[in-house]
Amino acid sequence: MEKIVILTGAGISAESGLGTFRDEGGLWAQHRIEDVATPEGFARDPALVHRFYNARRVQAAKAKSNAAHAALARLQMDFPGEVVIVTQNVDSLHESGGAEHVIHMHGTLAGAFCPACSHRWASPPEMAVGEPCPACGAATARPDVVWFGEMPYHMDAIYDHLAEATLFAAIGTSGQVYPAAAFVHEALQSGARTVELNLEPSTGTSSFDEVILGPATETVPSWVDDLLSPR
Ligand code: APR
């Protein structure tokens, strides 16, 4: 039975108006990672970190899923084998585009997390410093997003999926952040075919059997059409 494992990055949500990180003028050109996406940054200035994620949460809530998100949902629905979507994105556009069981390895803007008792709950649209945890009352609640230096979520499940993949696709990711950037090597180990769909070649592009360049809203729907057309 064919099993397709798909890794997505910020590029799949770019045409929905959400900024990527490393493109011209991207999020890391506007903010220092160490200030807004590390535990040390949060400890140093939690208000700045909340402001950063509040702005992204409000923007993500207004964004609409695009044809690439919809195409992956269609693939999940109509493909005769299993289709697993692993995303580095913290937006919910895969879900609003109809995808199911999406694995958010970097967490989600929709979630809040209590470092004191590990309780998780649905984040309010805007979090504030000193937000009390609904379970234990500790005033150190944070966005349930994985920061640099922290272990991404669901890694065991992801490696199990990669071990069974017959096709691995990386869509809209620059291939610069680990462990996601090494998933293609895991897939090659298990004998999967590998394809990259990106606006431009990623850092890891040479590891892929096939590279399809262009905007995701064009390349992903036609890639899905090919996968679903009778061979
Ligand atoms: N269609 C397809 N690809 C696109 C599009 C588009 N319309 N627009 C941009 N891209 C590509 C860019 O060419 C780039 O290779 O998407 C990629 C985005 O790369 P990054 O900005 O580095 O985003 P990503 O790879 O998701 O970053 C990974 O880094 O900062 C951390 O946690 C953050 O999850 C993020 C991780």
Side-chain angles (χ1 to χ4, degrees):
M1 175 66 87
E2 288 265 317
K3 177 165 182 171
I4 304 178
V5 178
I6 298 165
L7 170 70
T8 65
I12 200 168
S13 296
E15 291 163 89
S16 294
L18 297 187
T20 61
F21 293 93
R22 296 172 182 82
D23 287 326
E24 189 69 31
L27 283 167
W28 297 147
Q30 304 159 40
H31 307 273
R32 286 168 11 118
I33 286 177
E34 53 273 28
D35 290 341
V36 295
T38 63
E40 296 77 14
F42 184 64
R44 197 168 42 246
D45 188 350
L48 171 64
V49 174
H50 279 311
R51 275 200 304 279
F52 176 66
Y53 285 98
N54 287 345
R56 293 181 63 198
R57 193 176 295 107
V58 166
Q59 196 197 22
K62 284 189 286 208
K64 299 268 175 290
S65 58
N66 64 50
H69 298 110
L72 294 188
R74 179 161 54 92
L75 183 65
Q76 267 189 330
M77 186 79 68
D78 300 342
F79 186 69
E82 191 182 355
V83 178
V84 177
I85 299 172
V86 179
T87 187
Q88 300 172 91
N89 299 341
V90 292
D91 63 58
S92 306
L93 295 182
H94 279 299
E95 289 83 344
S96 52
E100 295 182 337
H101 316 303
V102 179
I103 300 176
H104 284 269
M105 63 181 288
H106 289 165
T108 62
L109 287 169
F113 173 65
C114 174
C117 73
S118 299
H119 179 58
R120 286 185 163 84
W121 66 99
S123 164
E126 309 219 336
M127 288 189 83
V129 178
E131 188 100 12
C133 165
C136 76
T140 51
R142 56 175 273 188
D144 191 15
V145 170
V146 177
W147 285 329
F148 285 88
E150 296 183 327
M151 179 57 81
Y153 294 154
H154 313 298
M155 291 309 295
D156 292 344
I158 293 170
Y159 286 123
D160 289 347
H161 287 308
L162 289 168
E164 296 163 354
T166 55
L167 174 61
F168 172 75
I171 303 176
T173 180
S174 64
Q176 295 187 39
V177 175
Y178 287 81
F183 288 176
V184 60
H185 304 132
E186 297 293 326
L188 288 165
Q189 292 275 339
S190 41
R193 295 189 325 279
T194 57
V195 56
E196 173 174 88
L197 296 93
N198 214 53
L199 193 60
E200 60 206 11
S202 77
T203 307
T205 197
S206 58
S207 303
F208 289 86
D209 300 321
E210 186 186 4
V211 179
I212 302 173
L213 296 179
T217 55
E218 289 169 23
T219 60
V220 179
S222 65
W223 177 66
V224 167
D225 288 346
D226 289 349
L227 285 171
L228 293 179
S229 57
R231 273 195 272 280

Short mmCIF file of all heavy atoms in Angstrom, two decimals, residues 8-12 14-15 20-23 28 33 88-89 106 146 148 171-177 197-202 214-217 219, ligand 1:
data_model
loop_
_atom_site.label_atom_id
_atom_site.label_comp_id
_atom_site.label_asym_id
_atom_site.label_seq_id
_atom_site.Cartn_x
_atom_site.Cartn_y
_atom_site.Cartn_z
N THR A 8 5.23 20.27 5.26
CA THR A 8 5.02 21.62 4.71
C THR A 8 5.71 22.66 5.58
O THR A 8 5.94 22.45 6.77
CB THR A 8 3.51 21.95 4.62
OG1 THR A 8 2.94 22.01 5.93
CG2 THR A 8 2.78 20.94 3.76
N GLY A 9 5.99 23.80 4.95
CA GLY A 9 6.59 24.95 5.63
C GLY A 9 5.83 26.21 5.26
O GLY A 9 4.80 26.16 4.59
N ALA A 10 6.39 27.34 5.71
CA ALA A 10 5.71 28.63 5.60
C ALA A 10 5.31 28.96 4.16
O ALA A 10 4.35 29.69 3.91
CB ALA A 10 6.60 29.73 6.17
N GLY A 11 6.02 28.40 3.19
CA GLY A 11 5.75 28.72 1.79
C GLY A 11 4.37 28.30 1.33
O GLY A 11 3.79 28.91 0.43
N ILE A 12 3.78 27.27 1.98
CA ILE A 12 2.44 26.84 1.55
C ILE A 12 1.37 27.82 2.01
O ILE A 12 0.28 27.88 1.44
CB ILE A 12 2.12 25.39 2.02
CG1 ILE A 12 1.00 24.81 1.16
CG2 ILE A 12 1.76 25.35 3.51
CD1 ILE A 12 0.77 23.32 1.32
N ALA A 14 2.13 31.15 2.23
CA ALA A 14 2.54 32.50 1.77
C ALA A 14 1.43 33.16 0.93
O ALA A 14 1.12 34.33 1.11
CB ALA A 14 3.83 32.40 0.96
N GLU A 15 0.81 32.38 0.05
CA GLU A 15 -0.21 32.99 -0.84
C GLU A 15 -1.53 33.20 -0.11
O GLU A 15 -2.48 33.73 -0.68
CB GLU A 15 -0.38 32.11 -2.09
CG GLU A 15 0.85 32.16 -2.99
CD GLU A 15 0.89 31.02 -3.98
OE1 GLU A 15 0.35 31.17 -5.08
OE2 GLU A 15 1.48 29.97 -3.64
N THR A 20 6.54 34.44 5.36
CA THR A 20 7.49 33.34 5.60
C THR A 20 8.59 33.90 6.51
O THR A 20 8.52 35.04 6.98
CB THR A 20 8.09 32.87 4.26
OG1 THR A 20 8.79 33.97 3.69
CG2 THR A 20 7.02 32.38 3.31
N PHE A 21 9.58 33.09 6.79
CA PHE A 21 10.62 33.50 7.76
C PHE A 21 11.86 34.06 7.07
O PHE A 21 12.43 35.05 7.53
CB PHE A 21 11.00 32.29 8.62
CG PHE A 21 9.87 31.85 9.50
CD1 PHE A 21 8.99 30.85 9.09
CD2 PHE A 21 9.65 32.47 10.73
CE1 PHE A 21 7.94 30.46 9.90
CE2 PHE A 21 8.59 32.07 11.54
CZ PHE A 21 7.73 31.07 11.12
N ARG A 22 12.25 33.37 5.98
CA ARG A 22 13.58 33.70 5.44
C ARG A 22 13.55 34.32 4.05
O ARG A 22 14.59 34.49 3.44
CB ARG A 22 14.46 32.42 5.45
CG ARG A 22 14.69 31.94 6.88
CD ARG A 22 15.38 30.60 6.98
NE ARG A 22 15.51 30.25 8.41
CZ ARG A 22 14.52 29.71 9.13
NH1 ARG A 22 13.36 29.41 8.56
NH2 ARG A 22 14.67 29.46 10.42
N ASP A 23 12.32 34.58 3.56
CA ASP A 23 12.27 35.29 2.28
C ASP A 23 12.60 36.76 2.51
O ASP A 23 12.63 37.22 3.65
CB ASP A 23 10.87 35.15 1.67
CG ASP A 23 10.65 33.74 1.13
OD1 ASP A 23 11.62 33.14 0.65
OD2 ASP A 23 9.53 33.22 1.25
N TRP A 28 12.05 36.84 10.04
CA TRP A 28 13.35 36.94 10.69
C TRP A 28 14.16 38.13 10.19
O TRP A 28 15.27 38.35 10.65
CB TRP A 28 14.14 35.63 10.58
CG TRP A 28 13.48 34.47 11.27
CD1 TRP A 28 13.53 33.17 10.87
CD2 TRP A 28 12.64 34.47 12.44
NE1 TRP A 28 12.83 32.37 11.74
CE2 TRP A 28 12.25 33.14 12.69
CE3 TRP A 28 12.18 35.47 13.30
CZ2 TRP A 28 11.44 32.79 13.77
CZ3 TRP A 28 11.37 35.12 14.37
CH2 TRP A 28 11.01 33.79 14.61
N ILE A 33 15.38 36.26 16.20
CA ILE A 33 14.90 34.96 16.68
C ILE A 33 15.12 34.85 18.19
O ILE A 33 14.22 34.44 18.94
CB ILE A 33 15.64 33.82 15.94
CG1 ILE A 33 15.13 33.70 14.50
CG2 ILE A 33 15.50 32.50 16.68
CD1 ILE A 33 15.84 32.65 13.65
N GLN A 88 5.40 22.34 9.70
CA GLN A 88 6.21 23.18 10.58
C GLN A 88 5.43 24.45 10.92
O GLN A 88 5.85 25.22 11.78
CB GLN A 88 7.53 23.58 9.89
CG GLN A 88 8.40 22.40 9.51
CD GLN A 88 9.58 22.83 8.66
OE1 GLN A 88 10.67 23.14 9.17
NE2 GLN A 88 9.38 22.89 7.36
N ASN A 89 4.31 24.65 10.23
CA ASN A 89 3.55 25.88 10.39
C ASN A 89 2.70 25.84 11.66
O ASN A 89 2.24 24.77 12.06
CB ASN A 89 2.63 26.10 9.18
CG ASN A 89 3.43 26.22 7.88
OD1 ASN A 89 4.64 26.49 7.91
ND2 ASN A 89 2.77 25.96 6.76
N HIS A 106 5.76 22.01 15.23
CA HIS A 106 6.23 23.22 15.93
C HIS A 106 5.11 23.85 16.76
O HIS A 106 5.19 25.02 17.13
CB HIS A 106 6.77 24.24 14.92
CG HIS A 106 8.07 23.82 14.32
ND1 HIS A 106 8.60 24.40 13.19
CD2 HIS A 106 8.95 22.85 14.67
CE1 HIS A 106 9.76 23.82 12.90
NE2 HIS A 106 9.98 22.87 13.77
N VAL A 146 6.72 25.66 19.51
CA VAL A 146 8.06 25.13 19.82
C VAL A 146 9.10 26.18 19.44
O VAL A 146 9.16 26.62 18.29
CB VAL A 146 8.32 23.82 19.04
CG1 VAL A 146 9.74 23.33 19.32
CG2 VAL A 146 7.29 22.76 19.45
N PHE A 148 13.19 27.76 19.31
CA PHE A 148 14.53 27.26 19.01
C PHE A 148 15.16 26.73 20.30
O PHE A 148 15.02 27.35 21.36
CB PHE A 148 15.38 28.36 18.40
CG PHE A 148 15.03 28.62 16.97
CD1 PHE A 148 14.03 29.53 16.64
CD2 PHE A 148 15.64 27.91 15.95
CE1 PHE A 148 13.66 29.76 15.33
CE2 PHE A 148 15.28 28.14 14.62
CZ PHE A 148 14.29 29.06 14.32
N ILE A 171 7.07 20.66 0.89
CA ILE A 171 6.37 21.74 0.18
C ILE A 171 6.55 23.05 0.94
O ILE A 171 6.18 23.16 2.11
CB ILE A 171 4.86 21.44 0.06
CG1 ILE A 171 4.62 20.10 -0.64
CG2 ILE A 171 4.14 22.58 -0.67
CD1 ILE A 171 3.16 19.68 -0.73
N GLY A 172 7.14 24.05 0.29
CA GLY A 172 7.20 25.40 0.86
C GLY A 172 8.09 25.52 2.08
O GLY A 172 7.77 26.28 3.00
N THR A 173 9.22 24.79 2.07
CA THR A 173 10.14 24.93 3.20
C THR A 173 11.56 25.10 2.68
O THR A 173 11.95 24.49 1.69
CB THR A 173 10.04 23.72 4.16
OG1 THR A 173 10.97 23.90 5.24
CG2 THR A 173 10.30 22.40 3.46
N SER A 174 12.33 25.96 3.37
CA SER A 174 13.69 26.28 2.88
C SER A 174 14.69 25.21 3.26
O SER A 174 15.85 25.26 2.86
CB SER A 174 14.13 27.63 3.46
OG SER A 174 14.23 27.53 4.88
N GLY A 175 14.27 24.25 4.09
CA GLY A 175 15.18 23.15 4.45
C GLY A 175 16.37 23.61 5.27
O GLY A 175 17.47 23.07 5.16
N GLN A 176 16.16 24.63 6.08
CA GLN A 176 17.28 25.15 6.89
C GLN A 176 17.16 24.86 8.36
O GLN A 176 18.08 25.16 9.13
CB GLN A 176 17.37 26.67 6.68
CG GLN A 176 17.73 27.03 5.23
CD GLN A 176 17.99 28.51 5.08
OE1 GLN A 176 18.58 29.14 5.95
NE2 GLN A 176 17.53 29.06 3.97
N VAL A 177 16.01 24.31 8.80
CA VAL A 177 15.82 24.09 10.24
C VAL A 177 15.65 22.58 10.49
O VAL A 177 14.84 21.92 9.85
CB VAL A 177 14.58 24.86 10.73
CG1 VAL A 177 14.30 24.55 12.20
CG2 VAL A 177 14.81 26.35 10.56
N LEU A 197 8.49 20.59 -3.69
CA LEU A 197 7.69 21.58 -4.41
C LEU A 197 7.93 22.91 -3.71
O LEU A 197 7.57 23.06 -2.53
CB LEU A 197 6.20 21.24 -4.38
CG LEU A 197 5.79 19.94 -5.09
CD1 LEU A 197 5.76 18.77 -4.13
CD2 LEU A 197 4.43 20.08 -5.76
N ASN A 198 8.58 23.85 -4.38
CA ASN A 198 9.00 25.08 -3.73
C ASN A 198 9.09 26.21 -4.76
O ASN A 198 9.22 25.96 -5.95
CB ASN A 198 10.36 24.85 -3.04
CG ASN A 198 10.48 25.65 -1.77
OD1 ASN A 198 9.62 25.59 -0.88
ND2 ASN A 198 11.54 26.45 -1.70
N LEU A 199 9.05 27.45 -4.24
CA LEU A 199 9.15 28.59 -5.18
C LEU A 199 10.52 28.61 -5.81
O LEU A 199 10.69 28.94 -6.99
CB LEU A 199 8.88 29.88 -4.41
CG LEU A 199 8.63 31.15 -5.25
CD1 LEU A 199 7.41 30.93 -6.14
CD2 LEU A 199 8.42 32.36 -4.36
N GLU A 200 11.53 28.23 -5.01
CA GLU A 200 12.90 28.17 -5.55
C GLU A 200 13.60 26.99 -4.89
O GLU A 200 13.11 26.48 -3.87
CB GLU A 200 13.63 29.48 -5.25
CG GLU A 200 13.73 29.75 -3.77
CD GLU A 200 13.86 31.23 -3.43
OE1 GLU A 200 13.66 32.09 -4.33
OE2 GLU A 200 14.13 31.53 -2.26
N PRO A 201 14.70 26.51 -5.44
CA PRO A 201 15.36 25.34 -4.84
C PRO A 201 15.70 25.61 -3.37
O PRO A 201 16.18 26.69 -3.03
CB PRO A 201 16.62 25.18 -5.69
CG PRO A 201 16.32 25.88 -6.98
CD PRO A 201 15.40 27.02 -6.63
N SER A 202 15.42 24.65 -2.50
CA SER A 202 15.74 24.82 -1.07
C SER A 202 17.20 24.44 -0.84
O SER A 202 17.90 23.97 -1.73
CB SER A 202 14.86 23.88 -0.24
OG SER A 202 15.37 22.56 -0.34
N GLY A 214 7.79 26.60 -8.42
CA GLY A 214 6.67 27.49 -8.73
C GLY A 214 5.87 27.76 -7.47
O GLY A 214 6.14 27.19 -6.41
N PRO A 215 4.88 28.66 -7.56
CA PRO A 215 4.04 28.95 -6.39
C PRO A 215 3.17 27.75 -6.03
O PRO A 215 2.63 27.08 -6.93
CB PRO A 215 3.21 30.14 -6.82
CG PRO A 215 3.34 30.25 -8.30
CD PRO A 215 4.54 29.50 -8.72
N ALA A 216 3.03 27.50 -4.76
CA ALA A 216 2.33 26.28 -4.29
C ALA A 216 0.89 26.20 -4.82
O ALA A 216 0.41 25.10 -5.11
CB ALA A 216 2.33 26.26 -2.76
N THR A 217 0.23 27.33 -4.98
CA THR A 217 -1.17 27.26 -5.43
C THR A 217 -1.27 26.77 -6.87
O THR A 217 -2.34 26.36 -7.31
CB THR A 217 -1.87 28.64 -5.34
OG1 THR A 217 -1.09 29.58 -6.09
CG2 THR A 217 -2.02 29.09 -3.91
N THR A 219 1.59 24.63 -8.28
CA THR A 219 2.28 23.34 -8.39
C THR A 219 1.57 22.24 -7.61
O THR A 219 1.50 21.10 -8.08
CB THR A 219 3.73 23.47 -7.85
OG1 THR A 219 3.66 23.86 -6.47
CG2 THR A 219 4.54 24.47 -8.64
N1 APR B 1 4.94 28.73 -2.98
C1 APR B 1 5.88 27.80 -2.68
N2 APR B 1 6.98 28.04 -1.93
C2 APR B 1 7.12 29.30 -1.46
C3 APR B 1 6.20 30.34 -1.73
C4 APR B 1 5.07 30.01 -2.52
N3 APR B 1 4.14 30.92 -2.84
N4 APR B 1 6.65 31.48 -1.14
C5 APR B 1 7.81 31.16 -0.52
N5 APR B 1 8.10 29.86 -0.72
C6 APR B 1 9.25 29.10 -0.22
C7 APR B 1 10.52 29.90 -0.14
O1 APR B 1 11.25 29.81 -1.36
C8 APR B 1 11.27 29.21 1.02
O2 APR B 1 12.11 28.18 0.52
O3 APR B 1 8.94 28.72 1.10
C9 APR B 1 10.16 28.59 1.84
C10 APR B 1 9.97 29.28 3.18
O4 APR B 1 11.13 29.05 3.94
P1 APR B 1 11.21 29.64 5.43
O5 APR B 1 10.77 31.06 5.41
O6 APR B 1 12.57 29.29 5.96
O7 APR B 1 10.10 28.84 6.24
P2 APR B 1 10.20 27.36 6.80
O8 APR B 1 11.07 26.51 5.94
O9 APR B 1 8.82 26.90 7.04
O10 APR B 1 10.94 27.58 8.23
C11 APR B 1 11.05 26.44 9.05
O11 APR B 1 11.96 27.82 10.81
O12 APR B 1 11.91 29.76 11.97
C12 APR B 1 11.55 28.45 12.02
O13 APR B 1 9.80 27.58 13.27
C13 APR B 1 10.06 28.31 12.12
O14 APR B 1 8.67 26.58 11.20
C14 APR B 1 9.68 27.53 10.89
C15 APR B 1 10.97 26.86 10.49
#
